[in-house]
Amino acid sequence: MKNIIKNMIERAIWYKDNLNFIDESYDLLRFARDLIYKMALTINCPSDWQNIGTELAIEYKNNSWVYEELELWNYEEV
């Protein structure tokens, strides 16, 4: 699941940077954000799926656009 979401993120970045498809980029990130959120809240979801947001928060911390659009601050460990 993490690979699918990462592919969506990377495709969104590519669309934005190379093709200037801004709307499509935002749509992909919105879908990814929704998936991450639903998995984090679902009790019977596999634990590695529930933690995808935390892993992505670390991985994309230096990419402010992705970090903000996915609202990854919600998954940072305190």
Coordinates of all heavy atoms in Angstrom, one line a residue:
M1 N 0.8 -1.2 0.0 CA 0.0 0.0 0.0 C 0.9 1.3 0.0 O 0.6 2.2 -0.7 CB -0.9 0.0 1.2 CG -1.9 1.1 1.2 SD -3.0 1.3 -0.2 CE -4.1 0.0 -0.1
K2 N 2.0 1.2 0.8 CA 2.8 2.4 0.8 C 3.4 2.7 -0.5 O 3.5 3.8 -0.9 CB 4.0 2.1 1.8 CG 4.9 3.3 2.0 CD 6.0 3.1 3.0 CE 7.0 4.2 3.0 NZ 8.1 4.0 3.8
N3 N 3.8 1.6 -1.3 CA 4.3 1.8 -2.6 C 3.3 2.5 -3.6 O 3.7 3.3 -4.4 CB 4.8 0.5 -3.2 CG 6.1 0.1 -2.6 OD1 6.8 0.9 -2.0 ND2 6.3 -1.2 -2.6
I4 N 2.1 2.1 -3.4 CA 1.0 2.7 -4.3 C 0.9 4.2 -4.0 O 0.8 5.0 -4.9 CB -0.3 1.9 -4.0 CG1 -0.3 0.5 -4.6 CG2 -1.5 2.7 -4.7 CD1 -1.4 -0.4 -4.2
I5 N 0.8 4.5 -2.7 CA 0.7 5.9 -2.3 C 1.9 6.7 -2.7 O 1.8 7.8 -3.2 CB 0.4 6.0 -0.8 CG1 -1.0 5.4 -0.5 CG2 0.6 7.4 -0.3 CD1 -1.3 5.3 1.0
K6 N 3.1 6.1 -2.5 CA 4.3 6.8 -3.0 C 4.3 7.0 -4.5 O 4.8 8.1 -5.0 CB 5.6 6.0 -2.5 CG 5.9 6.2 -1.1 CD 7.2 5.5 -0.7 CE 8.3 6.2 -1.4 NZ 9.6 5.9 -1.0
N7 N 3.8 6.0 -5.2 CA 3.7 6.2 -6.7 C 2.8 7.4 -7.0 O 3.1 8.1 -8.0 CB 3.3 4.9 -7.4 CG 4.3 3.9 -7.4 OD1 5.5 4.2 -7.3 ND2 3.9 2.6 -7.5
M8 N 1.7 7.5 -6.3 CA 0.8 8.6 -6.5 C 1.4 9.9 -6.2 O 1.3 10.9 -7.0 CB -0.5 8.4 -5.6 CG -1.4 7.3 -6.0 SD -2.6 6.9 -4.8 CE -3.7 8.3 -5.0
I9 N 2.2 10.0 -5.1 CA 2.9 11.2 -4.8 C 3.9 11.6 -5.8 O 4.0 12.7 -6.3 CB 3.6 11.1 -3.4 CG1 2.5 10.9 -2.3 CG2 4.5 12.2 -3.1 CD1 3.1 10.5 -1.0
E10 N 4.7 10.6 -6.2 CA 5.8 10.8 -7.2 C 5.2 11.2 -8.6 O 5.7 12.1 -9.3 CB 6.7 9.6 -7.4 CG 7.5 9.3 -6.1 CD 8.4 10.5 -5.7 OE1 9.0 11.1 -6.5 OE2 8.4 10.7 -4.5
R11 N 4.1 10.6 -8.9 CA 3.4 11.0 -10.2 C 2.9 12.4 -10.1 O 3.0 13.2 -11.0 CB 2.3 10.0 -10.5 CG 1.5 10.3 -11.7 CD 2.3 10.2 -13.0 NE 3.1 9.0 -13.1 CZ 2.8 8.0 -13.9 NH1 1.8 8.0 -14.7 NH2 3.6 6.9 -14.0
A12 N 2.3 12.8 -8.9 CA 1.8 14.2 -8.7 C 3.0 15.2 -8.9 O 2.8 16.2 -9.5 CB 1.2 14.3 -7.4
I13 N 4.1 14.9 -8.3 CA 5.3 15.7 -8.4 C 5.7 15.9 -9.8 O 6.0 17.0 -10.3 CB 6.4 15.2 -7.5 CG1 6.1 15.3 -6.0 CG2 7.7 16.0 -7.8 CD1 7.0 14.6 -5.1
W14 N 5.7 14.7 -10.5 CA 6.2 14.7 -11.9 C 5.2 15.6 -12.8 O 5.6 16.3 -13.7 CB 6.3 13.3 -12.4 CG 6.9 13.2 -13.8 CD1 8.3 13.2 -14.0 CD2 6.3 13.1 -15.0 NE1 8.5 13.1 -15.4 CE2 7.3 13.0 -16.0 CE3 5.0 13.0 -15.4 CZ2 7.0 12.9 -17.4 CZ3 4.7 12.9 -16.8 CH2 5.7 12.9 -17.7
Y15 N 3.9 15.3 -12.6 CA 2.9 16.1 -13.3 C 3.1 17.6 -13.1 O 3.0 18.4 -14.0 CB 1.5 15.7 -12.9 CG 0.9 14.5 -13.5 CD1 -0.3 13.9 -13.0 CD2 1.5 13.8 -14.5 CE1 -0.8 12.8 -13.5 CE2 1.0 12.6 -15.1 CZ -0.2 12.1 -14.6 OH -0.7 11.0 -15.1
K16 N 3.3 18.0 -11.9 CA 3.4 19.4 -11.5 C 4.7 20.0 -12.1 O 4.7 21.1 -12.7 CB 3.4 19.6 -10.0 CG 3.6 21.0 -9.5 CD 3.6 21.0 -8.0 CE 4.1 22.3 -7.4 NZ 5.5 22.3 -7.3
D17 N 5.8 19.3 -12.0 CA 7.1 19.8 -12.4 C 7.3 19.7 -13.9 O 7.9 20.7 -14.5 CB 8.2 19.1 -11.7 CG 8.3 19.4 -10.2 OD1 7.6 20.4 -9.8 OD2 8.9 18.6 -9.5
N18 N 6.9 18.7 -14.5 CA 7.2 18.5 -15.9 C 6.1 18.8 -16.9 O 6.4 19.2 -18.0 CB 7.7 17.0 -16.2 CG 8.9 16.7 -15.4 OD1 9.9 17.4 -15.5 ND2 8.9 15.6 -14.7
L19 N 4.9 18.6 -16.5 CA 3.8 18.9 -17.5 C 2.9 20.1 -17.1 O 2.0 20.4 -17.8 CB 2.9 17.6 -17.6 CG 3.6 16.3 -18.0 CD1 2.6 15.2 -18.0 CD2 4.2 16.5 -19.4
N20 N 3.2 20.6 -15.9 CA 2.4 21.7 -15.4 C 0.9 21.4 -15.3 O 0.1 22.2 -15.5 CB 2.6 23.0 -16.3 CG 2.3 24.2 -15.5 OD1 2.5 24.3 -14.3 ND2 1.9 25.3 -16.2
F21 N 0.6 20.1 -14.9 CA -0.7 19.7 -14.7 C -1.1 19.9 -13.2 O -1.1 18.9 -12.5 CB -0.9 18.2 -15.1 CG -0.9 17.9 -16.6 CD1 -1.0 16.6 -17.0 CD2 -0.8 18.9 -17.5 CE1 -1.0 16.3 -18.3 CE2 -0.8 18.6 -18.9 CZ -0.9 17.3 -19.3
I22 N -1.3 21.1 -12.9 CA -1.5 21.4 -11.5 C -2.8 20.7 -10.9 O -2.7 20.2 -9.8 CB -1.6 23.0 -11.3 CG1 -0.4 23.6 -11.8 CG2 -1.8 23.3 -9.8 CD1 0.9 23.2 -11.2
D23 N -3.9 20.8 -11.6 CA -5.1 20.2 -11.0 C -5.0 18.7 -10.8 O -5.4 18.2 -9.8 CB -6.3 20.5 -12.0 CG -6.7 22.0 -12.0 OD1 -6.4 22.7 -11.0 OD2 -7.3 22.4 -13.0
E24 N -4.4 18.0 -11.8 CA -4.2 16.6 -11.7 C -3.2 16.3 -10.5 O -3.4 15.3 -9.8 CB -3.6 16.0 -13.0 CG -4.6 16.0 -14.1 CD -4.7 17.4 -14.9 OE1 -4.0 18.4 -14.4 OE2 -5.4 17.4 -15.9
S25 N -2.2 17.1 -10.3 CA -1.3 16.9 -9.2 C -2.0 17.0 -7.9 O -1.8 16.2 -7.0 CB -0.2 17.9 -9.2 OG 0.6 17.8 -10.4
Y26 N -2.8 18.1 -7.7 CA -3.5 18.2 -6.5 C -4.6 17.1 -6.3 O -4.8 16.7 -5.1 CB -4.2 19.6 -6.4 CG -3.3 20.7 -6.1 CD1 -2.9 21.6 -7.1 CD2 -2.8 20.9 -4.8 CE1 -2.0 22.7 -6.8 CE2 -2.0 21.9 -4.5 CZ -1.6 22.8 -5.5 OH -0.7 23.8 -5.2
D27 N -5.2 16.7 -7.3 CA -6.1 15.5 -7.2 C -5.4 14.3 -6.7 O -6.0 13.6 -5.8 CB -6.8 15.2 -8.5 CG -7.9 16.2 -8.9 OD1 -8.3 17.0 -8.0 OD2 -8.3 16.2 -10.1
L28 N -4.3 14.0 -7.2 CA -3.6 12.8 -6.8 C -3.2 12.9 -5.3 O -3.3 11.9 -4.6 CB -2.3 12.5 -7.6 CG -2.5 11.8 -9.0 CD1 -1.3 11.9 -9.8 CD2 -2.9 10.4 -8.7
L29 N -2.7 14.0 -4.9 CA -2.3 14.2 -3.5 C -3.5 14.2 -2.6 O -3.5 13.7 -1.5 CB -1.5 15.5 -3.3 CG -0.1 15.5 -3.9 CD1 0.6 16.8 -3.6 CD2 0.7 14.3 -3.5
R30 N -4.7 14.7 -3.1 CA -5.9 14.7 -2.2 C -6.3 13.2 -2.0 O -6.7 12.8 -0.9 CB -7.0 15.5 -2.9 CG -8.3 15.5 -2.1 CD -9.3 16.4 -2.7 NE -9.4 16.3 -4.1 CZ -10.3 15.4 -4.7 NH1 -11.0 14.6 -4.0 NH2 -10.3 15.4 -6.0
F31 N -6.3 12.4 -3.1 CA -6.6 11.0 -3.0 C -5.7 10.3 -2.0 O -6.1 9.5 -1.2 CB -6.7 10.3 -4.3 CG -7.7 10.8 -5.3 CD1 -7.4 11.0 -6.6 CD2 -9.0 11.1 -4.8 CE1 -8.4 11.4 -7.5 CE2 -10.0 11.6 -5.7 CZ -9.7 11.7 -7.0
A32 N -4.4 10.6 -2.2 CA -3.4 9.9 -1.3 C -3.6 10.4 0.2 O -3.6 9.5 1.1 CB -2.0 10.3 -1.7
R33 N -3.9 11.7 0.4 CA -4.2 12.2 1.7 C -5.4 11.5 2.3 O -5.4 11.0 3.5 CB -4.4 13.7 1.7 CG -4.7 14.3 3.1 CD -5.0 15.7 3.0 NE -6.3 15.9 2.3 CZ -6.5 16.8 1.4 NH1 -5.6 17.7 1.0 NH2 -7.7 16.9 0.8
D34 N -6.4 11.3 1.6 CA -7.6 10.6 2.0 C -7.4 9.2 2.4 O -7.8 8.7 3.4 CB -8.8 10.7 1.0 CG -9.3 12.1 0.8 OD1 -9.0 13.0 1.7 OD2 -10.0 12.3 -0.2
L35 N -6.6 8.5 1.6 CA -6.2 7.1 1.9 C -5.4 7.0 3.2 O -5.7 6.1 4.0 CB -5.4 6.5 0.8 CG -6.1 6.0 -0.5 CD1 -5.1 5.6 -1.6 CD2 -7.0 4.7 -0.1
I36 N -4.4 7.8 3.3 CA -3.6 7.8 4.5 C -4.4 8.1 5.8 O -4.3 7.4 6.8 CB -2.5 8.9 4.4 CG1 -1.5 8.5 3.3 CG2 -1.7 9.1 5.7 CD1 -0.6 9.7 2.9
Y37 N -5.3 9.0 5.7 CA -6.2 9.4 6.8 C -7.1 8.2 7.2 O -7.2 7.9 8.4 CB -7.0 10.6 6.5 CG -7.9 11.1 7.5 CD1 -7.4 11.7 8.7 CD2 -9.3 10.9 7.4 CE1 -8.3 12.1 9.7 CE2 -10.2 11.3 8.4 CZ -9.7 11.9 9.6 OH -10.5 12.3 10.6
K38 N -7.7 7.6 6.2 CA -8.7 6.5 6.5 C -7.9 5.3 7.1 O -8.4 4.7 8.0 CB -9.4 6.1 5.2 CG -10.4 7.0 4.7 CD -11.6 7.1 5.6 CE -12.7 8.0 5.0 NZ -13.8 8.2 5.9
M39 N -6.8 5.0 6.6 CA -6.0 3.9 7.1 C -5.5 4.2 8.5 O -5.5 3.2 9.4 CB -4.8 3.5 6.2 CG -5.3 2.9 4.9 SD -3.9 2.3 3.9 CE -3.2 3.9 3.4
A40 N -5.2 5.4 8.8 CA -4.7 5.7 10.2 C -5.8 5.6 11.2 O -5.6 5.2 12.4 CB -4.2 7.1 10.2
L41 N -7.1 5.8 10.8 CA -8.2 5.7 11.7 C -8.9 4.4 11.8 O -9.7 4.1 12.7 CB -9.2 6.8 11.3 CG -8.8 8.2 11.5 CD1 -9.9 9.2 11.1 CD2 -8.4 8.5 12.9
T42 N -8.6 3.5 10.8 CA -9.3 2.2 10.8 C -8.7 1.2 11.7 O -7.5 0.9 11.6 CB -9.3 1.7 9.3 OG1 -9.9 2.6 8.5 CG2 -10.0 0.3 9.2
I43 N -9.4 0.8 12.7 CA -8.9 -0.1 13.8 C -8.4 -1.4 13.2 O -7.3 -1.9 13.7 CB -10.0 -0.3 14.8 CG1 -10.3 1.0 15.5 CG2 -9.6 -1.4 15.8 CD1 -11.5 1.0 16.5
N44 N -9.1 -2.0 12.3 CA -8.7 -3.4 11.9 C -7.8 -3.3 10.6 O -7.6 -4.3 9.9 CB -9.9 -4.3 11.6 CG -10.8 -3.7 10.6 OD1 -10.7 -2.6 10.2 ND2 -11.8 -4.5 10.1
C45 N -7.2 -2.1 10.3 CA -6.3 -2.0 9.2 C -4.9 -2.5 9.6 O -4.6 -2.4 10.8 CB -6.2 -0.5 8.9 SG -5.4 -0.1 7.4
P46 N -4.2 -3.2 8.7 CA -2.9 -3.7 9.1 C -2.0 -2.5 9.7 O -2.1 -1.4 9.2 CB -2.3 -4.2 7.8 CG -3.5 -4.5 6.9 CD -4.5 -3.5 7.3
S47 N -1.2 -2.8 10.7 CA -0.5 -1.8 11.4 C 0.5 -1.1 10.5 O 0.7 0.1 10.7 CB 0.2 -2.4 12.6 OG 1.2 -3.3 12.2
D48 N 1.1 -1.8 9.5 CA 2.1 -1.1 8.7 C 1.3 -0.1 7.7 O 1.9 0.8 7.3 CB 2.9 -2.1 7.9 CG 2.1 -3.1 7.0 OD1 1.0 -3.4 7.4 OD2 2.6 -3.5 6.0
W49 N 0.1 -0.4 7.5 CA -0.7 0.6 6.7 C -1.1 1.8 7.5 O -1.2 2.9 7.1 CB -2.0 -0.1 6.1 CG -1.7 -1.1 5.0 CD1 -0.5 -1.6 4.7 CD2 -2.7 -1.7 4.2 NE1 -0.7 -2.5 3.7 CE2 -2.0 -2.6 3.3 CE3 -4.1 -1.5 4.1 CZ2 -2.7 -3.3 2.4 CZ3 -4.7 -2.3 3.1 CH2 -4.0 -3.2 2.3
Q50 N -1.4 1.5 8.8 CA -1.8 2.6 9.7 C -0.6 3.6 9.9 O -0.9 4.8 10.2 CB -2.2 2.1 11.1 CG -3.6 1.4 11.1 CD -4.0 0.9 12.4 OE1 -3.1 0.4 13.1 NE2 -5.2 1.0 12.7
N51 N 0.6 3.2 9.8 CA 1.8 4.0 10.0 C 2.3 4.6 8.8 O 3.4 5.3 8.9 CB 2.8 3.2 10.7 CG 2.4 2.6 12.1 OD1 1.6 3.3 12.8 ND2 2.8 1.4 12.4
I52 N 1.7 4.5 7.7 CA 2.2 5.1 6.4 C 2.4 6.6 6.6 O 3.3 7.2 6.1 CB 1.3 4.7 5.2 CG1 1.4 3.3 4.9 CG2 1.6 5.6 4.0 CD1 0.5 2.7 3.8
G53 N 1.4 7.3 7.2 CA 1.5 8.7 7.4 C 2.8 9.1 8.1 O 3.4 10.1 7.8
T54 N 3.1 8.4 9.2 CA 4.3 8.7 10.0 C 5.5 8.5 9.1 O 6.4 9.3 9.2 CB 4.3 7.8 11.2 OG1 3.1 7.9 11.9 CG2 5.5 8.1 12.1
E55 N 5.6 7.4 8.4 CA 6.8 7.2 7.5 C 6.9 8.3 6.4 O 8.0 8.7 6.2 CB 6.6 5.8 6.9 CG 6.7 4.7 7.9 CD 6.4 3.3 7.3 OE1 6.5 3.2 6.0 OE2 6.1 2.4 8.0
L56 N 5.8 8.7 5.8 CA 5.8 9.7 4.8 C 6.2 11.0 5.4 O 6.8 11.9 4.7 CB 4.5 9.7 4.0 CG 4.2 8.5 3.2 CD1 2.8 8.6 2.6 CD2 5.2 8.2 2.1
A57 N 5.8 11.3 6.6 CA 6.1 12.6 7.2 C 7.6 12.7 7.4 O 8.2 13.8 7.1 CB 5.4 12.7 8.6
I58 N 8.3 11.7 7.7 CA 9.7 11.7 7.7 C 10.3 11.8 6.4 O 11.2 12.6 6.1 CB 10.2 10.4 8.5 CG1 9.8 10.4 9.9 CG2 11.8 10.3 8.3 CD1 10.0 9.1 10.6
E59 N 9.8 11.0 5.4 CA 10.4 11.0 4.1 C 10.2 12.3 3.3 O 11.1 12.7 2.5 CB 9.7 9.8 3.3 CG 10.4 9.5 2.0 CD 9.9 8.1 1.5 OE1 9.5 7.3 2.3 OE2 10.0 8.0 0.3
Y60 N 9.1 12.9 3.5 CA 8.8 14.1 2.7 C 8.9 15.4 3.5 O 8.4 16.5 3.1 CB 7.4 14.0 2.0 CG 7.4 13.0 0.9 CD1 6.9 11.7 1.1 CD2 7.9 13.4 -0.4 CE1 6.9 10.8 0.1 CE2 7.9 12.4 -1.4 CZ 7.4 11.2 -1.2 OH 7.4 10.2 -2.2
K61 N 9.6 15.4 4.6 CA 9.7 16.6 5.5 C 10.3 17.7 4.7 O 10.0 18.9 5.0 CB 10.5 16.2 6.7 CG 10.5 17.3 7.7 CD 11.1 16.8 9.1 CE 10.7 17.8 10.1 NZ 10.7 17.3 11.4
N62 N 11.2 17.5 3.8 CA 11.9 18.5 3.1 C 11.2 19.0 1.8 O 11.7 19.9 1.1 CB 13.3 18.1 2.8 CG 14.2 17.9 4.0 OD1 14.0 18.7 5.0 ND2 15.1 17.0 4.0
N63 N 10.1 18.3 1.5 CA 9.3 18.7 0.3 C 8.0 19.4 0.9 O 7.0 18.8 1.1 CB 9.0 17.5 -0.5 CG 8.3 17.9 -1.8 OD1 7.5 18.9 -1.9 ND2 8.5 17.2 -2.9
S64 N 8.1 20.7 1.0 CA 7.0 21.5 1.7 C 5.7 21.3 1.0 O 4.6 21.3 1.6 CB 7.4 22.9 1.9 OG 7.6 23.6 0.6
W65 N 5.7 21.3 -0.4 CA 4.5 21.2 -1.1 C 3.8 19.9 -0.8 O 2.6 19.9 -0.4 CB 4.7 21.3 -2.6 CG 3.5 21.1 -3.4 CD1 2.5 22.0 -3.5 CD2 3.2 20.1 -4.4 NE1 1.5 21.6 -4.4 CE2 1.9 20.4 -4.9 CE3 3.8 18.9 -4.7 CZ2 1.3 19.6 -5.8 CZ3 3.2 18.1 -5.7 CH2 2.0 18.4 -6.2
V66 N 4.4 18.8 -0.9 CA 3.9 17.4 -0.5 C 3.5 17.4 0.9 O 2.4 16.9 1.3 CB 4.8 16.3 -0.9 CG1 4.3 15.0 -0.4 CG2 5.1 16.2 -2.4
Y67 N 4.4 17.8 1.8 CA 4.1 17.8 3.2 C 2.9 18.5 3.6 O 2.0 18.1 4.4 CB 5.4 18.4 3.9 CG 5.4 18.2 5.4 CD1 5.9 17.1 6.0 CD2 4.9 19.2 6.2 CE1 5.9 16.9 7.4 CE2 4.9 19.1 7.6 CZ 5.4 17.9 8.2 OH 5.4 17.7 9.5
E68 N 2.7 19.7 3.0 CA 1.5 20.5 3.3 C 0.2 19.9 2.7 O -0.8 19.9 3.4 CB 1.7 22.0 2.8 CG 2.8 22.8 3.5 CD 2.4 23.1 4.9 OE1 1.2 23.3 5.2 OE2 3.3 23.0 5.8
E69 N 0.3 19.5 1.5 CA -0.9 19.0 0.8 C -1.4 17.7 1.4 O -2.6 17.4 1.5 CB -0.6 18.8 -0.7 CG -0.5 20.1 -1.5 CD -1.7 21.0 -1.3 OE1 -2.9 20.5 -1.4 OE2 -1.5 22.2 -1.1
L70 N -0.5 16.9 1.9 CA -0.9 15.6 2.5 C -1.1 15.8 4.0 O -1.5 14.8 4.7 CB 0.2 14.5 2.4 CG 0.5 14.1 0.9 CD1 1.6 13.0 0.9 CD2 -0.8 13.5 0.3
E71 N -0.9 17.0 4.5 CA -1.1 17.3 5.9 C -0.4 16.4 6.8 O -0.9 15.8 7.8 CB -2.6 17.3 6.3 CG -3.4 18.4 5.5 CD -4.9 18.3 5.7 OE1 -5.4 17.5 6.5 OE2 -5.6 19.2 5.1
L72 N 0.9 16.1 6.5 CA 1.7 15.2 7.2 C 2.1 15.6 8.6 O 2.5 14.7 9.4 CB 2.9 14.8 6.3 CG 2.7 14.1 5.0 CD1 4.0 13.9 4.2 CD2 2.0 12.8 5.3
W73 N 1.9 16.8 9.0 CA 2.1 17.2 10.3 C 1.3 16.5 11.3 O 1.6 16.3 12.5 CB 2.0 18.7 10.5 CG 0.5 19.2 10.2 CD1 -0.5 19.1 11.1 CD2 0.0 19.7 9.0 NE1 -1.7 19.6 10.5 CE2 -1.3 20.0 9.2 CE3 0.6 20.0 7.8 CZ2 -2.1 20.5 8.2 CZ3 -0.2 20.6 6.8 CH2 -1.5 20.8 7.0
N74 N 0.1 16.0 10.8 CA -0.8 15.2 11.7 C -0.2 13.8 12.1 O -0.7 13.2 13.0 CB -2.1 14.9 10.9 CG -2.9 16.2 10.8 OD1 -3.0 17.0 11.7 ND2 -3.6 16.3 9.7
Y75 N 0.9 13.4 11.4 CA 1.4 12.1 11.6 C 2.8 12.1 12.2 O 3.4 11.1 12.4 CB 1.4 11.3 10.3 CG 0.1 11.2 9.7 CD1 -0.3 12.1 8.6 CD2 -0.9 10.4 10.2 CE1 -1.5 12.1 8.0 CE2 -2.2 10.4 9.6 CZ -2.5 11.2 8.5 OH -3.7 11.2 8.0
E76 N 3.3 13.3 12.5 CA 4.6 13.4 13.1 C 4.6 12.8 14.5 O 3.6 13.1 15.3 CB 5.1 14.8 13.2 CG 5.6 15.4 11.8 CD 6.2 16.7 12.0 OE1 5.9 17.4 13.0 OE2 7.0 17.1 11.1
E77 N 5.6 12.1 14.9 CA 5.7 11.6 16.2 C 6.2 12.7 17.2 O 7.2 13.4 16.8 CB 6.6 10.3 16.3 CG 6.0 9.2 15.5 CD 6.8 7.9 15.7 OE1 7.9 8.0 16.2 OE2 6.4 6.9 15.2
V78 N 5.6 12.8 18.3 CA 6.0 13.9 19.2 C 6.9 13.3 20.3 O 7.0 12.2 20.7 CB 4.8 14.4 19.9 CG1 5.1 15.5 20.9 CG2 3.8 14.9 18.9

